Amino acid sequence: MSLMVTTSREWDRTERRVLGALRCVDATTGAPLLQDLQIEAPPSVRIQRSRSGLVVLHEWLPLAAAPGGAGPLALTLSVSDPKGQYLARLVRIHLARDTHLARAALAGSLFHPLVVPMYLASSGRIRPQWAALSASLRDAGSSDALGGVLLRVVSDGQVLARGISDWRGEALVPVVGMPPSTWSAEAGAVVVTEISATLEAIADPASVTRTAQSDVVSDRAPSALPLVDPVALEAARDRLPQASAQIGLVAGRPLHVSLAIALP
């Protein structure tokens, strides 16, 4: 009895590695952004957009070359909106991500996309039930417009909203979840609920852009537009120049605040 020995040959192999993923959302509503955002990455990075709107990272050469046990490496990307509805920003993602399935729902997991809030440009649309807060940022010494300033609306220790100033020093910071105005028992009387809050402005002298007011009036944009990492700015806020103002927020009522920041 003889046995026939067969051999197999591999003709083609397709391997797909996933290092992590980003999900860009509207910073005001939290809704995923499905439009084509522009992602700029180092040449050693290979990215692909999924049908669900995720930006998937498939390859990064420094991570592959890193020795075992070296710990996570930080990759910085820039995200911008070609249509100009949202402001450009930097995003830092730490690789490699945790691959343990039991921790899939936790931040830092490979199976948990990094959520990237995109902030509305100053010309963005405001819904009637939002508090329409806008701000102008300038340097206290020169009166130059300041771009790339992080703004936070804080009430009772809770951050209600965030925003970023553009190169003109203008920022839009819509606040959602406002109590609506109601009619009282008296005929024709309206009860308006106002929320007391603090508007904080945080600027990093190393990354903020300064534009002379004459250029702002002439609409002459600088060669380099503001590009900051809001997460890094917020983490370093205790050691960065700041300005603040007390404000009252009412649903549907526009409010404009001017802030001057003393920069070194």
Side-chain angles (χ1 to χ4, degrees), residues 17 19 41-47 57-66 71-77 93-96:
R17 297 187 62 193
L19 305 179
S44 57
V45 176
R46 184 166 62 89
I47 62 178
L57 309 175
H58 288 290
E59 184 179 17
W60 186 35
L61 294 182
L63 183 64
L73 301 179
L75 170 65
T76 300
L77 310 171
I93 180 171
H94 294 277
L95 304 172

Side-chain angles (χ1 to χ4, degrees), residues 30-49:
L33 298 179
L34 302 179
Q35 64 260 48
D36 289 333
L37 299 175
Q38 183 175 340
I39 311 295
E40 294 187 11
S44 57
V45 176
R46 184 166 62 89
I47 62 178
Q48 185 178 16
R49 189 181 302 275

Side-chain angles (χ1 to χ4, degrees), residues 166-249:
D166 60 18
W167 68 270
R168 299 177 180 85
E170 301 297 323
L172 180 63
V173 194
V175 182
V176 301
M178 301 293 300
S181 299
T182 58
W183 296 96
S184 72
E186 299 180 12
V190 178
V191 176
V192 176
T193 303
E194 182 177 279
I195 293 179
S196 298
T198 302
L199 176 63
E200 301 175 347
I202 305 153
D204 185 349
S207 60
V208 71
T209 63
R210 311 181 196 210
T211 306
Q213 291 296 334
S214 58
D215 289 336
V216 173
V217 172
S218 302
D219 201 29
R220 289 194 296 265
S223 56
L225 297 178
L227 191 60
V228 297
D229 179 359
V231 175
L233 280 175
E234 188 156 5
R237 68 184 185 276
D238 290 340
R239 60 178 184 272
L240 293 177
Q242 298 185 34
S244 64
Q246 299 301 311
I247 57 176
L249 301 172

Side-chain angles (χ1 to χ4, degrees), residues 95-147:
L95 304 172
R97 312 284 282 178
D98 188 348
T99 60
H100 201 290
L101 285 174
R103 296 186 289 270
L106 301 179
S109 170
L110 175 65
F111 308 98
H112 188 81
L114 178 66
V115 177
V116 179
M118 299 294 293
Y119 298 96
L120 283 172
S122 59
S123 58
R125 293 183 177 182
I126 296 292
R127 298 181 185 177
Q129 66 270 29
W130 296 352
L133 172 62
S134 60
S136 297
L137 288 305
R138 62 180 178 85
D139 177 40
S142 65
S143 293
D144 288 347
L146 300 179

